[in-house]
Amino acid sequence: MSEKPKLTLMTGISSVSKSFRALLLTITGLVFTINAGATTVSDSLPAPFTTAIRSTNAAFMCDVCGCSGNGGSMGYGTGLDKNFAGLRYISQRYRSRDGIFNNSPWVDENFNTLQAWGRIPVGKRVVIHAMIPYHFHHRTFADKSEQDLNGMGDMTLLGFYRLIKPSDSTGSATEFRHTLHVGGGIKLPTGKFDKANNEGSVNPSFQAGTGSWDYIIAADYGIILQNWGAGAMINYTFKTENSDHYHFGDQLNYGIHAYRPFALSDSFALTPLVGVAGEVFGENEQYGQPVADTRGDVFFGKWGLETAYKKWSLGITGMIPITQNLNNGKVVVKNRFSVYVNFNI
């Protein structure tokens, strides 16, 4: 779920396992070590990495539940081309307790999002992302009654600045090529927040939007070595109180993955990837008071397959929880899935 603004970045990171923290520190060290000795000559990479390296941009930025299923859920962009417009479908499946007790009945929840999105470069170092989601959610209660929620979600606008560009030289077989983006943006309250959906249900995210202006900072880093590539990212969302005095909490997202592109021809390539991702949520507030059982964390395994043919690209992504503790165990994520098709302009 979405959670409280008082959750700091270091608080979120402390919830991550020691092994993953060590992995993040190793990658951070690589960034500075490689940057110190690397010479950047150009933005381009030899095929098939031109497509694959760009897919590291925000590939693991994930939000839990319905009102967050805009750009954050399943990634802010695929990066298959410098300029694209496309459509993406996102499915998220959950079970939540319909009540505050451990023996309260379970509710099956399906959060569905159809999203128009695009990525536009502005100059050589700045990239703009835009996402406009439409939600159609459904849940089934223990008594077999159902509830549907349809409507536009919260629009997201992000800008990234490329601090490090990949080298275009072939170099030696052990030479790294790498890229680093930092940036941030804003999530607009274009989706409807209905406070009635927060009454009588543990899951507060069965919404079309948060009803609040939220602010995002993000960074992602990608490297290639021979025929392999890897990426790491971290981002943090600062959330604010909406007009109904409900305050979803801050959210930390992180991830790392590896991939290997296969160029089947001059115009067609396949890129499978595997990795892990995690989310940490602070506590929500209502009228300035903490809302019980709204903080939590989840750690995912992730797989994906991206294809590119001429100006078209197609991708699928799946996420399965490895460990989770959402809303004190009263919300359980079952799986996530997305598919997208883009036209590269």
Side-chain angles (χ1 to χ4, degrees):
M1 312 294 28
S2 320
E3 296 18 15
K4 174 178 176 180
K6 294 180 181 176
L7 177 69
T8 64
L9 188 59
M10 292 306 297
T11 301
I13 293 175
S14 67
S15 302
V16 183
S17 65
K18 291 182 179 179
S19 59
F20 189 79
R21 281 184 292 169
L23 188 55
L24 284 179
L25 289 174
T26 301
I27 291 172
T28 304
L30 273 175
V31 173
F32 291 103
T33 302
I34 296 167
N35 190 35
T39 338
T40 299
V41 238
S42 160
D43 292 340
S44 63
L45 285 170
F49 288 106
T50 304
T51 292
I53 193 73
R54 290 175 186 153
S55 69
T56 64
N57 288 343
F60 284 91
M61 297 182 181
C62 303
D63 295 313
V64 73
C65 295
C67 58
S68 298
N70 42 42
S73 180
M74 308 300 290
Y76 289 123
T78 67
L80 286 173
D81 195 81
K82 288 185 177 180
N83 192 356
F84 74 87
L87 289 174
R88 176 170 63 168
Y89 167 72
I90 302 169
S91 171
Q92 304 180 75
R93 300 187 63 191
Y94 295 85
R95 297 185 74 204
S96 65
R97 292 283 189 186
D98 187 19
I100 62 174
F101 303 107
N102 290 332
N103 62 350
S104 296
W106 287 102
V107 178
D108 290 322
E109 297 177 314
N110 296 316
F111 298 97
N112 303 284
T113 301
L114 184 63
Q115 179 187 85
W117 64 343
R119 181 187 178 198
I120 302 171
V122 181
K124 293 183 178 180
R125 290 186 177 267
V126 178
V127 179
I128 303 297
H129 293 257
M131 282 99 10
I132 305 174
Y134 183 87
H135 301 304
F136 45 107
H137 302 333
H138 177 84
R139 60 183 175 186
T140 304
F141 297 90
D143 62 1
K144 304 304 180 183
S145 61
E146 299 178 337
Q147 181 183 4
D148 292 296
L149 185 155
N150 304 312
M152 182 178 177
D154 290 341
M155 183 188 303
T156 302
L157 296 173
L158 293 165
F160 285 89
Y161 182 79
R162 183 162 44 192
L163 288 178
I164 303 174
K165 298 191 240 179
S167 168
D168 67 347
S169 63
T170 55
S172 68
T174 57
E175 182 181 347
F176 280 98
R177 295 170 177 85
H178 63 145
T179 182
L180 175 64
H181 290 80
V182 296
I186 187 170
K187 184 182 70 61
L188 291 72
T190 51
K192 180 182 179 182
F193 175 85
D194 186 354
K195 63 181 180 181
N197 286 337
N198 283 22
E199 298 172 359
S201 175
V202 167
N203 191 342
S205 290
F206 193 80
Q207 302 282 352
T210 63
S212 60
W213 293 82
D214 301 332
Y215 306 94
I216 304 160
I217 57 173
D220 68 80
Y221 175 66
I223 59 175
I224 62 170
L225 175 63
Q226 295 182 320
N227 292 326
W228 292 88
M233 60 73 53
I234 190 167
N235 72 87
Y236 194 86
T237 302
F238 300 90
K239 302 182 182 179
T240 65
E241 185 176 270
N242 63 29
S243 59
D244 289 304
H245 306 287
Y246 198 90
H247 195 156
F248 288 97
D250 285 5
Q251 179 174 335
L252 170 73
N253 303 310
Y254 59 89
I256 184 171
H257 70 284
Y259 59 91
R260 189 188 191 286
F262 296 89
L264 304 183
S265 71
D266 291 340
S267 57
F268 185 72
L270 292 175
T271 306
L273 65 86
V274 292
V276 293
E279 304 162 3
V280 182
F281 309 96
E283 194 171 51
N284 297 356
E285 287 185 346
Q286 190 168 26
Y287 291 99
Q289 299 300 313
V291 179
D293 298 331
T294 52
R295 67 171 64 244
D297 59 85
V298 58
F299 184 71
F300 290 99
K302 182 172 181 176
W303 62 269
L305 179 65
E306 297 180 349
T307 69
Y309 179 71
K310 295 184 178 179
K311 288 191 173 184
W312 291 94
S313 59
L314 175 69
I316 59 174
T317 304
M319 299 177 69
I320 301 294
I322 299 173
T323 62
Q324 59 179 302
N325 181 22
L326 298 172
N327 297 65
N328 198 24
K330 294 181 172 63
V331 172
V332 176
V333 55
K334 299 176 71 175
N335 57 66
R336 295 184 187 163
F337 174 81
S338 76
V339 59
Y340 60 83
V341 57
N342 291 337
F343 182 77
N344 303 319
I345 302 171

